[in-house]
Amino acid sequence: MSKIGIMGGTFNPIHYGHLLIAENALDQLGLDEVRFLPNGTPPHKHGNEIIEAAHRLHMVACAIKNRPGFIIDDSEITSDTISYTYLTMERFVESHPEHDYYLIMGGDSLYDFSTWKYPERICRCAVLAAAVRDEYQMQQLQTIAFELSKKMNAQITFIQSPNFSVSSSEIRRRISIGQSIRYQLPDSVLDYIMTNHLYQ
């Protein structure tokens, strides 16, 4: 039996904020691996907001290639259906029911988790692992976690992760106006973006 962290996202592009959360999840939860799943067709984002999947997949591969325990999974990108989390998690459990799964997310995602598609089915498949920035956010999220536990029988754990103020949307904005994005993402990802003229 292995403990598997699942970290989904558009990764448009992947940056150090994503990687810090994954690193802390791996260490603090004693995970055997973290699987990065770039979304194929996210249900909450319009197609013109994201670049093609092959580029996003390659950037994730560049970002994690030298970190043992970080794995890339292209199953959502190669799927023809919308990338709903409950379907992805049920597929993992059906394929390998012997593993324990942890769905890694930013702490803010807990606020609207109950609005996700079939959240109770997600809770049957995985422990929710929410990254928290500080004690103040922890206090807020503990209240939400208690409600989710009562309502959906959710198992929730927290990952202590420093507040790294960077976002994919801000990176895209800076690129579009010619500003530097160095130190916000790995150099290998930066090189790929520049070589392929992405977000320009």
Side-chain angles (χ1 to χ4, degrees):
M1 178 185 293
S2 297
K3 297 172 68 175
I4 309 296
I6 305 297
M7 189 163 185
T10 310
F11 301 123
N12 189 38
I14 190 169
H15 54 67
Y16 279 133
H18 299 127
L19 296 170
L20 274 172
I21 290 175
E23 182 75 14
N24 285 311
L26 193 73
D27 289 344
Q28 294 175 27
L29 303 180
L31 303 179
D32 293 288
E33 66 182 48
V34 173
R35 295 182 189 174
F36 288 75
L37 275 81
N39 297 143
T41 307
H44 59 291
K45 295 189 178 183
H46 301 295
N48 61 359
E49 293 180 354
I50 57 177
I51 61 172
E52 63 183 85
H55 284 310
R56 294 184 287 110
L57 186 70
H58 193 89
M59 286 188 287
V60 173
C62 288
I64 68 174
K65 64 181 177 180
N66 294 320
R67 177 57 168 102
F70 284 3
I71 308 295
I72 192 165
D73 187 315
D74 67 354
S75 58
E76 286 199 346
I77 278 180
T78 57
S79 172
D80 293 329
T81 61
I82 291 177
S83 301
Y84 286 115
T85 302
Y86 80 94
L87 291 174
T88 298
M89 296 312 305
E90 288 179 344
R91 174 173 51 81
F92 280 134
V93 171
E94 183 178 354
S95 299
H96 294 283
E98 71 277 13
H99 297 325
D100 292 330
Y101 294 98
Y102 292 75
L103 182 61
I104 302 168
M105 62 180 69
D108 290 344
S109 294
L110 280 187
Y111 290 110
D112 64 357
F113 178 76
S114 61
T115 69
W116 292 21
K117 189 83 166 179
Y118 300 125
E120 68 283 353
R121 290 168 66 170
I122 299 172
C123 294
R124 288 199 290 267
C125 295
V127 176
L128 307 183
V132 294
R133 298 183 296 269
D134 50 40
E135 186 61 32
Y136 176 72
Q137 188 190 32
M138 172 70 85
Q139 292 174 357
Q140 292 181 312
L141 292 180
Q142 282 177 331
T143 301
I144 295 172
F146 179 73
E147 293 301 321
L148 289 174
S149 178
K150 287 198 306 180
K151 184 178 179 181
M152 302 178 188
N153 200 30
Q155 298 180 66
I156 300 171
T157 189
F158 294 105
I159 307 161
Q160 298 289 341
S161 191
N163 184 16
F164 188 79
S165 184
V166 60
S167 71
S168 295
S169 59
E170 175 62 11
I171 288 172
R172 295 194 302 271
R173 187 193 70 81
R174 293 178 66 88
I175 293 172
S176 70
I177 60 176
Q179 293 183 340
S180 173
I181 57 169
R182 194 169 296 279
Y183 309 123
Q184 298 188 42
L185 37 67
D187 287 344
S188 57
V189 178
L190 174 59
D191 290 344
Y192 186 85
I193 289 172
M194 295 297 113
T195 298
N196 291 275
H197 310 289
L198 304 181
Y199 309 116
Q200 298 173 26

